[in-house]
Coordinates of all heavy atoms in Angstrom, one line a residue:
M1 N 0.9 -1.2 0.0 CA 0.0 0.0 0.0 C 0.9 1.3 0.0 O 1.9 1.3 0.7 CB -0.9 0.0 1.2 CG -2.1 0.9 1.1 SD -3.1 1.0 2.6 CE -3.4 -0.7 3.0
D2 N 0.5 2.3 -0.8 CA 1.4 3.4 -0.9 C 1.1 4.4 0.3 O 0.1 4.3 1.0 CB 1.1 4.2 -2.2 CG -0.3 4.7 -2.3 OD1 -0.6 5.8 -1.7 OD2 -1.2 4.0 -2.8
Y3 N 2.1 5.2 0.5 CA 2.0 6.2 1.6 C 0.7 7.1 1.7 O 0.2 7.4 2.7 CB 3.3 7.0 1.8 CG 4.4 6.2 2.2 CD1 5.6 6.0 1.4 CD2 4.5 5.6 3.5 CE1 6.6 5.2 1.9 CE2 5.5 4.9 4.0 CZ 6.6 4.7 3.1 OH 7.7 3.9 3.5
G4 N 0.4 7.5 0.4 CA -0.8 8.3 0.3 C -2.1 7.6 0.9 O -2.9 8.3 1.6
M5 N -2.2 6.4 0.6 CA -3.3 5.6 1.0 C -3.3 5.4 2.5 O -4.3 5.5 3.3 CB -3.5 4.3 0.3 CG -4.7 3.5 0.7 SD -6.2 4.4 0.3 CE -6.4 4.2 -1.4
I6 N -2.2 5.1 3.0 CA -1.9 4.9 4.5 C -2.3 6.2 5.2 O -3.1 6.1 6.2 CB -0.5 4.5 4.8 CG1 -0.2 3.1 4.3 CG2 -0.2 4.6 6.3 CD1 1.3 2.7 4.3
G7 N -1.9 7.3 4.7 CA -2.3 8.6 5.3 C -3.8 8.8 5.3 O -4.4 9.3 6.3
K8 N -4.4 8.4 4.2 CA -5.9 8.6 4.2 C -6.7 7.7 5.1 O -7.6 8.1 5.7 CB -6.5 8.3 2.7 CG -6.0 9.4 1.7 CD -6.5 10.7 2.0 CE -6.1 11.7 0.9 NZ -6.4 13.1 1.3
I9 N -6.2 6.5 5.3 CA -6.8 5.6 6.2 C -6.7 6.1 7.7 O -7.6 6.0 8.5 CB -6.2 4.2 6.1 CG1 -6.6 3.6 4.7 CG2 -6.6 3.2 7.2 CD1 -5.9 2.4 4.3
E10 N -5.4 6.6 8.0 CA -5.3 7.1 9.4 C -6.2 8.4 9.6 O -6.7 8.5 10.7 CB -3.8 7.6 9.5 CG -2.8 6.4 9.7 CD -3.2 5.5 10.8 OE1 -3.5 6.0 11.9 OE2 -3.2 4.3 10.5
K11 N -6.3 9.2 8.6 CA -7.1 10.3 8.7 C -8.6 9.9 8.9 O -9.3 10.5 9.7 CB -7.1 11.1 7.5 CG -7.3 12.7 7.6 CD -6.9 13.4 6.4 CE -6.8 15.0 6.6 NZ -6.4 15.7 5.4
A12 N -9.1 8.9 8.1 CA -10.5 8.3 8.3 C -10.6 7.8 9.7 O -11.7 8.0 10.3 CB -10.6 7.2 7.2
K13 N -9.7 7.2 10.2 CA -9.8 6.6 11.7 C -10.0 7.8 12.6 O -10.8 7.7 13.6 CB -8.6 5.8 12.0 CG -8.5 4.5 11.4 CD -7.2 3.8 11.7 CE -7.1 2.5 11.0 NZ -5.8 1.8 11.3
R14 N -9.2 8.9 12.5 CA -9.3 10.0 13.3 C -10.7 10.7 13.1 O -11.4 11.1 14.1 CB -8.2 11.0 13.0 CG -8.3 12.3 13.9 CD -6.9 13.0 13.9 NE -6.5 13.4 12.6 CZ -6.9 14.5 11.9 NH1 -7.8 15.3 12.4 NH2 -6.4 14.7 10.7
Y15 N -11.1 10.8 11.9 CA -12.4 11.6 11.6 C -13.6 10.7 12.2 O -14.6 11.3 12.6 CB -12.6 11.6 10.1 CG -11.9 12.8 9.3 CD1 -11.7 12.7 8.0 CD2 -11.3 13.8 10.1 CE1 -11.1 13.7 7.3 CE2 -10.5 14.8 9.5 CZ -10.4 14.7 8.1 OH -9.7 15.7 7.4
A16 N -13.4 9.3 12.1 CA -14.5 8.5 12.6 C -14.7 8.7 14.1 O -15.8 8.5 14.7 CB -14.2 7.1 12.3
Q17 N -13.6 9.2 14.8 CA -13.7 9.5 16.3 C -14.4 10.9 16.5 O -14.8 11.2 17.6 CB -12.4 9.4 16.9 CG -11.7 8.1 16.8 CD -12.4 7.0 17.4 OE1 -13.0 7.1 18.5 NE2 -12.6 5.9 16.8
E18 N -14.3 11.8 15.5 CA -14.8 13.2 15.6 C -16.1 13.3 15.1 O -16.4 13.9 14.0 CB -13.8 14.1 15.0 CG -12.4 13.9 15.6 CD -11.3 14.6 14.9 OE1 -11.5 15.3 13.8 OE2 -10.1 14.6 15.3
R19 N -17.1 12.8 15.8 CA -18.5 12.6 15.2 C -19.1 14.0 14.9 O -19.9 14.1 14.0 CB -19.3 11.9 16.3 CG -18.8 10.5 16.6 CD -19.6 9.8 17.6 NE -21.0 9.6 17.3 CZ -21.4 8.4 16.7 NH1 -20.5 7.5 16.6 NH2 -22.6 8.2 16.4
G20 N -18.7 15.0 15.7 CA -19.3 16.3 15.5 C -19.0 16.9 14.2 O -19.7 17.9 13.8
R21 N -18.0 16.4 13.4 CA -17.7 16.9 12.1 C -18.8 16.6 11.1 O -18.9 17.2 10.0 CB -16.4 16.3 11.6 CG -15.1 16.9 12.3 CD -13.9 16.2 11.7 NE -12.7 16.7 12.2 CZ -11.9 17.5 11.5 NH1 -12.3 18.1 10.4 NH2 -10.8 17.9 12.1
F22 N -19.6 15.5 11.4 CA -20.5 14.9 10.5 C -21.9 15.5 10.8 O -22.3 15.4 12.0 CB -20.6 13.5 10.4 CG -19.2 12.8 10.0 CD1 -18.3 12.5 11.0 CD2 -19.0 12.5 8.7 CE1 -17.1 12.0 10.5 CE2 -17.8 12.0 8.2 CZ -16.8 11.7 9.2
K23 N -22.6 16.0 9.9 CA -24.0 16.5 10.1 C -24.9 15.8 9.0 O -24.8 16.1 7.9 CB -24.2 17.9 10.1 CG -23.4 18.6 11.2 CD -24.0 18.3 12.6 CE -23.2 19.1 13.6 NZ -23.2 18.5 14.9
F24 N -25.8 14.8 9.4 CA -26.7 14.3 8.5 C -27.7 15.3 8.0 O -28.3 16.0 8.8 CB -27.4 13.1 9.1 CG -26.6 11.9 9.1 CD1 -25.6 11.6 10.1 CD2 -26.6 10.9 8.1 CE1 -24.9 10.5 10.2 CE2 -25.9 9.7 8.1 CZ -25.0 9.5 9.1
V25 N -27.9 15.3 6.7 CA -28.9 16.3 6.1 C -30.1 15.6 5.9 O -31.2 16.1 6.3 CB -28.3 16.9 4.8 CG1 -29.3 17.8 4.1 CG2 -26.9 17.6 5.0
Q26 N -30.1 14.4 5.3 CA -31.3 13.7 5.2 C -31.0 12.1 5.0 O -29.9 11.8 4.5 CB -32.2 14.1 4.0 CG -31.4 14.1 2.7 CD -32.3 14.6 1.5 OE1 -33.2 15.4 1.7 NE2 -32.0 14.1 0.4
F27 N -31.9 11.3 5.3 CA -31.8 9.9 5.1 C -33.1 9.2 5.5 O -34.0 9.7 6.1 CB -30.6 9.3 6.0 CG -30.9 9.5 7.5 CD1 -31.7 8.7 8.2 CD2 -30.3 10.6 8.2 CE1 -31.8 8.9 9.6 CE2 -30.4 10.8 9.6 CZ -31.2 9.9 10.3
T28 N -33.1 7.9 4.9 CA -34.3 7.0 5.3 C -33.8 5.7 5.7 O -32.8 5.1 5.0 CB -35.1 6.9 4.0 OG1 -35.6 8.2 3.6 CG2 -36.3 5.9 4.2
V29 N -34.3 5.2 6.7 CA -33.8 3.9 7.3 C -35.0 2.9 7.5 O -36.0 3.3 7.9 CB -33.2 4.2 8.7 CG1 -32.8 2.9 9.4 CG2 -32.0 5.1 8.6
S30 N -34.7 1.7 7.0 CA -35.8 0.7 7.3 C -35.3 0.0 8.6 O -34.2 -0.4 8.8 CB -35.8 -0.4 6.2 OG -36.7 -1.4 6.5
F31 N -36.3 -0.1 9.6 CA -36.0 -0.7 10.9 C -36.8 -2.0 11.0 O -38.0 -2.0 10.7 CB -36.5 0.3 12.0 CG -36.4 -0.2 13.4 CD1 -35.2 -0.2 14.1 CD2 -37.4 -0.9 14.0 CE1 -35.0 -0.7 15.3 CE2 -37.3 -1.3 15.3 CZ -36.1 -1.3 15.9
A32 N -36.1 -3.0 11.4 CA -36.7 -4.4 11.6 C -37.4 -4.4 12.9 O -36.8 -4.8 13.9 CB -35.8 -5.4 11.4
G33 N -38.6 -4.0 13.0 CA -39.4 -4.1 14.3 C -39.7 -5.5 14.7 O -39.6 -6.4 13.9
D34 N -40.1 -5.7 16.0 CA -40.5 -7.1 16.4 C -41.6 -7.6 15.8 O -41.8 -8.8 15.5 CB -40.7 -7.0 18.0 CG -39.5 -6.7 18.7 OD1 -38.3 -6.9 18.2 OD2 -39.6 -6.2 19.9
N35 N -42.7 -6.7 15.4 CA -43.9 -7.2 14.8 C -43.9 -6.8 13.3 O -44.3 -7.5 12.4 CB -45.1 -6.5 15.4 CG -45.2 -6.9 16.9 OD1 -45.0 -8.1 17.2 ND2 -45.3 -5.9 17.8
N36 N -43.5 -5.5 12.9 CA -43.5 -5.0 11.6 C -42.3 -4.2 11.3 O -41.7 -3.6 12.3 CB -44.7 -4.1 11.4 CG -46.0 -4.7 11.7 OD1 -46.4 -5.7 11.1 ND2 -46.8 -4.1 12.6
P37 N -41.9 -4.0 10.1 CA -40.8 -3.1 9.7 C -41.3 -1.7 9.8 O -42.5 -1.5 9.6 CB -40.4 -3.5 8.3 CG -41.7 -4.1 7.7 CD -42.4 -4.7 8.9
H38 N -40.5 -0.8 10.0 CA -40.9 0.7 10.1 C -39.8 1.4 9.2 O -38.7 1.1 9.2 CB -40.8 1.2 11.5 CG -41.9 0.6 12.3 ND1 -43.3 0.8 12.1 CD2 -41.8 -0.2 13.4 CE1 -43.9 0.1 13.0 NE2 -43.1 -0.6 13.8
T39 N -40.4 2.5 8.7 CA -39.5 3.4 7.8 C -39.4 4.7 8.6 O -40.4 5.3 8.9 CB -40.2 3.7 6.4 OG1 -40.3 2.3 5.8 CG2 -39.2 4.6 5.7
V40 N -38.2 5.0 8.9 CA -37.8 6.2 9.7 C -37.0 7.2 8.8 O -36.0 6.6 8.1 CB -37.0 5.9 10.9 CG1 -36.9 7.2 11.8 CG2 -37.6 4.8 11.7
S41 N -37.4 8.3 8.7 CA -36.7 9.3 7.8 C -36.4 10.6 8.5 O -37.1 11.0 9.5 CB -37.5 9.6 6.5 OG -38.7 10.1 6.8
Y42 N -35.4 11.3 8.0 CA -35.0 12.6 8.6 C -34.6 13.5 7.5 O -34.0 13.1 6.5 CB -33.8 12.4 9.5 CG -33.2 13.6 10.1 CD1 -33.7 14.1 11.2 CD2 -32.1 14.3 9.4 CE1 -33.2 15.4 11.7 CE2 -31.6 15.4 9.9 CZ -32.1 16.0 11.1 OH -31.6 17.2 11.6
G43 N -35.1 14.8 7.6 CA -34.7 15.7 6.6 C -35.1 17.1 7.0 O -36.1 17.3 7.7
K44 N -34.2 18.1 6.8 CA -34.5 19.5 7.2 C -34.9 19.7 8.6 O -35.7 20.4 9.0 CB -35.6 20.1 6.3 CG -35.2 20.1 4.8 CD -36.3 20.8 4.0 CE -35.9 20.8 2.5 NZ -37.0 21.2 1.6
G45 N -34.2 18.9 9.5 CA -34.4 19.0 10.9 C -35.7 18.2 11.4 O -36.0 18.3 12.6
N46 N -36.4 17.6 10.5 CA -37.7 16.9 10.9 C -37.5 15.4 10.8 O -37.0 14.9 9.8 CB -38.8 17.4 10.1 CG -39.1 18.8 10.3 OD1 -39.2 19.3 11.4 ND2 -39.1 19.6 9.2
W47 N -38.1 14.7 11.8 CA -38.2 13.3 11.8 C -39.5 12.8 11.3 O -40.5 13.5 11.5 CB -38.0 12.7 13.2 CG -36.5 12.8 13.7 CD1 -36.0 13.8 14.4 CD2 -35.5 11.9 13.5 NE1 -34.7 13.6 14.7 CE2 -34.3 12.3 14.2 CE3 -35.5 10.6 12.9 CZ2 -33.1 11.7 14.1 CZ3 -34.3 9.9 12.9 CH2 -33.1 10.4 13.5
K48 N -39.6 11.6 10.7 CA -40.8 11.0 10.4 C -40.7 9.5 10.6 O -39.6 8.9 10.5 CB -41.2 11.1 8.9 CG -41.8 12.5 8.7 CD -42.2 12.6 7.2 CE -42.7 14.1 6.8 NZ -42.7 14.3 5.4
C49 N -41.7 8.9 11.2 CA -41.7 7.4 11.3 C -43.1 6.9 11.0 O -44.1 7.7 11.3 CB -41.3 6.9 12.7 SG -41.3 5.1 12.8
D50 N -43.3 5.8 10.3 CA -44.7 5.4 10.0 C -45.3 4.5 11.1 O -46.4 4.0 10.8 CB -44.5 4.5 8.6 CG -43.8 3.3 8.8 OD1 -43.2 3.0 9.9 OD2 -43.6 2.6 7.7
C51 N -44.7 4.5 12.3 CA -45.4 3.7 13.4 C -46.6 4.6 14.0 O -46.6 5.8 13.9 CB -44.4 3.3 14.4 SG -43.8 4.6 15.5
D52 N -47.4 3.8 14.6 CA -48.6 4.5 15.2 C -48.2 5.4 16.4 O -48.8 6.5 16.5 CB -49.5 3.4 15.8 CG -50.2 2.6 14.7 OD1 -50.2 3.0 13.6 OD2 -50.6 1.5 15.1
F53 N -47.2 5.1 17.1 CA -46.8 5.9 18.2 C -46.3 7.3 17.8 O -46.6 8.3 18.3 CB -45.7 5.2 19.1 CG -45.5 5.9 20.5 CD1 -46.3 5.5 21.5 CD2 -44.7 6.9 20.7 CE1 -46.1 6.0 22.8 CE2 -44.5 7.5 21.9 CZ -45.3 7.1 23.0
F54 N -45.5 7.3 16.6 CA -45.0 8.5 16.1 C -46.1 9.4 15.6 O -46.1 10.6 15.9 CB -44.0 8.3 15.0 CG -43.3 9.5 14.6 CD1 -42.1 9.9 15.2 CD2 -43.8 10.3 13.6 CE1 -41.4 11.0 14.7 CE2 -43.2 11.4 13.1 CZ -42.0 11.8 13.7
I55 N -47.0 8.8 14.9 CA -48.2 9.5 14.4 C -49.0 10.2 15.5 O -49.4 11.4 15.4 CB -49.1 8.6 13.6 CG1 -48.3 8.2 12.2 CG2 -50.4 9.3 13.2 CD1 -49.0 7.0 11.6
L56 N -49.0 9.5 16.7 CA -49.8 10.1 17.8 C -48.9 11.1 18.6 O -49.5 12.2 19.0 CB -50.1 9.0 18.7 CG -51.4 9.0 19.6 CD1 -52.6 9.2 18.7 CD2 -51.6 7.8 20.5
R57 N -47.7 10.8 18.8 CA -46.9 11.6 19.8 C -45.8 12.4 19.1 O -45.1 13.2 19.7 CB -46.3 10.7 20.8 CG -47.3 9.8 21.5 CD -48.0 10.7 22.6 NE -47.1 11.2 23.6 CZ -46.7 10.6 24.7 NH1 -47.1 9.4 25.0 NH2 -45.9 11.2 25.5
G58 N -45.5 12.1 17.8 CA -44.4 13.0 17.2 C -43.0 12.5 17.5 O -42.1 13.1 17.1
T59 N -43.0 11.4 18.2 CA -41.6 10.8 18.5 C -41.9 9.3 18.7 O -43.1 8.8 18.9 CB -40.9 11.4 19.7 OG1 -39.6 10.9 19.8 CG2 -41.7 11.2 21.0
C60 N -40.8 8.5 18.7 CA -41.0 7.0 18.9 C -39.7 6.4 19.3 O -38.7 7.0 19.1 CB -41.7 6.4 17.7 SG -40.6 6.4 16.3
S61 N -39.8 5.1 19.7 CA -38.5 4.4 20.0 C -37.6 4.3 18.8 O -36.3 4.3 19.0 CB -38.8 3.1 20.6 OG -39.6 2.4 19.7
H62 N -38.1 4.2 17.6 CA -37.3 4.0 16.4 C -36.5 5.3 16.2 O -35.2 5.3 15.9 CB -38.1 3.7 15.2 CG -39.2 2.7 15.6 ND1 -40.5 3.0 15.5 CD2 -39.1 1.4 16.0 CE1 -41.2 1.9 15.9 NE2 -40.4 0.9 16.2
Q63 N -37.1 6.4 16.3 CA -36.4 7.7 16.2 C -35.4 7.9 17.3 O -34.2 8.3 17.0 CB -37.4 8.8 16.2 CG -36.7 10.2 16.2 CD -37.6 11.3 16.9 OE1 -38.8 11.1 17.0 NE2 -37.0 12.3 17.3
M64 N -35.8 7.6 18.5 CA -34.9 7.8 19.7 C -33.7 7.0 19.5 O -32.6 7.3 19.9 CB -35.6 7.6 21.0 CG -36.7 8.8 21.2 SD -37.4 8.7 22.8 CE -38.8 7.7 22.5
A65 N -33.8 5.7 19.1 CA -32.8 4.7 18.9 C -31.8 5.3 17.9 O -30.5 5.3 18.1 CB -33.2 3.4 18.4
L66 N -32.3 5.8 16.7 CA -31.4 6.5 15.8 C -30.6 7.7 16.3 O -29.5 7.9 16.0 CB -32.2 6.8 14.5 CG -32.4 5.7 13.6 CD1 -33.4 6.1 12.5 CD2 -31.1 5.3 12.9
E67 N -31.4 8.5 17.1 CA -30.7 9.6 17.7 C -29.5 9.2 18.6 O -28.4 9.9 18.6 CB -31.7 10.4 18.6 CG -32.6 11.3 17.7 CD -33.6 12.0 18.5 OE1 -34.1 11.5 19.6 OE2 -33.8 13.2 18.2
R68 N -29.7 8.1 19.2 CA -28.5 7.6 20.1 C -27.4 7.0 19.2 O -26.2 7.4 19.4 CB -29.0 6.4 20.9 CG -29.9 6.9 22.1 CD -30.5 5.7 22.8 NE -31.4 6.2 23.9 CZ -30.9 6.3 25.1 NH1 -29.7 6.0 25.5 NH2 -31.7 6.8 26.1
I69 N -27.8 6.3 18.1 CA -26.7 5.8 17.2 C -26.0 6.9 16.5 O -24.8 6.9 16.4 CB -27.4 5.0 16.1 CG1 -27.9 3.7 16.7 CG2 -26.5 4.6 15.0 CD1 -28.9 2.9 15.8
L70 N -26.7 8.0 16.1 CA -26.2 9.2 15.4 C -25.7 10.3 16.4 O -25.6 11.5 16.0 CB -27.1 9.7 14.4 CG -27.5 8.6 13.3 CD1 -28.6 9.1 12.4 CD2 -26.3 8.1 12.6
D71 N -25.4 10.0 17.6 CA -25.0 11.0 18.6 C -24.1 12.0 18.0 O -23.0 11.6 17.4 CB -24.3 10.2 19.8 CG -23.9 11.1 20.9 OD1 -24.6 12.1 21.1 OD2 -22.8 10.9 21.5
Q72 N -24.4 13.2 18.2 CA -23.7 14.4 17.8 C -23.7 14.7 16.3 O -23.2 15.7 15.8 CB -22.2 14.3 18.2 CG -21.9 14.2 19.7 CD -20.4 13.9 20.0 OE1 -19.6 14.5 19.3 NE2 -20.3 13.0 20.9
M73 N -24.4 13.8 15.5 CA -24.4 13.9 14.1 C -25.7 14.5 13.5 O -25.9 14.6 12.3 CB -24.0 12.7 13.4 CG -22.5 12.2 13.7 SD -21.9 10.9 12.7 CE -22.8 9.5 13.4
I74 N -26.6 14.7 14.5 CA -27.9 15.2 14.1 C -28.4 16.1 15.3 O -28.0 15.9 16.4 CB -29.1 14.2 13.9 CG1 -29.1 13.2 15.0 CG2 -28.9 13.5 12.5 CD1 -30.3 12.3 14.9
P75 N -29.1 17.2 15.0 CA -29.7 18.0 16.2 C -30.6 17.2 17.0 O -31.4 16.3 16.5 CB -30.4 19.2 15.5 CG -30.4 18.9 14.1 CD -29.7 17.7 13.7
A76 N -30.6 17.4 18.3 CA -31.4 16.6 19.3 C -32.9 17.1 19.1 O -33.1 18.3 18.9 CB -31.0 16.9 20.7
A77 N -33.7 16.2 19.0 CA -35.2 16.5 18.9 C -35.8 16.8 20.2 O -35.2 16.4 21.3 CB -35.9 15.2 18.5
V78 N -36.7 17.7 20.1 CA -37.4 18.2 21.4 C -38.6 17.2 21.6 O -39.5 17.2 20.7 CB -37.8 19.7 21.2 CG1 -38.5 20.1 22.5 CG2 -36.6 20.5 20.9
P79 N -38.7 16.6 22.7 CA -39.8 15.7 23.0 C -41.1 16.4 23.0 O -41.2 17.6 23.5 CB -39.5 15.1 24.4 CG -38.1 15.3 24.5 CD -37.7 16.5 23.8
V80 N -42.3 15.9 22.4 CA -43.5 16.6 22.4 C -44.1 16.5 23.8 O -44.2 15.4 24.3 CB -44.4 16.0 21.3 CG1 -45.8 16.7 21.3 CG2 -43.7 16.3 20.0
Ligands
LIG101 ZN1 -41.5 4.7 15.1

């Protein structure tokens, strides 16, 4: 492996530790629920999930789980 690539891999390892450098703009995730799959999406600061709880309360365990996974890489949601 050439030195250029070694340097890039080292940089990638460092960047991967610096989560705050990354800000997700939009994405859609399929979540394998215990009973049904759910589609969770994020865009322009807004979350959406197709589960009943989200429709009722504007937040849900699927969204909250993703917020934990993406710690520092998305703005925190305000619970309703
Ligand atoms: Zn949900």
Side-chain angles (χ1 to χ4, degrees):
M1 197 182 313
D2 64 86
Y3 287 115
M5 183 59 79
I6 291 167
K8 292 298 181 192
I9 291 169
E10 288 305 314
K11 211 168 191 180
K13 289 177 181 174
R14 181 163 56 83
Y15 285 164
Q17 302 298 317
E18 298 170 2
R19 302 174 68 91
R21 286 179 178 262
F22 298 90
K23 296 294 179 206
F24 279 85
V25 176
Q26 61 179 27
F27 58 82
T28 300
V29 177
S30 177
F31 176 84
D34 291 337
N35 301 310
N36 301 302
H38 293 292
T39 301
V40 188
S41 60
Y42 176 85
K44 296 180 180 174
N46 296 308
W47 287 92
K48 282 183 187 162
C49 183
D50 63 1
C51 74
D52 292 340
F53 197 89
F54 187 91
I55 291 165
L56 207 62
R57 303 285 299 273
T59 189
C60 65
S61 56
H62 316 115
Q63 172 208 339
M64 289 188 272
L66 276 169
E67 285 180 316
R68 288 171 181 266
I69 292 166
L70 302 175
D71 181 37
Q72 299 173 40
M73 297 191 284
I74 48 168
V78 179
V80 176

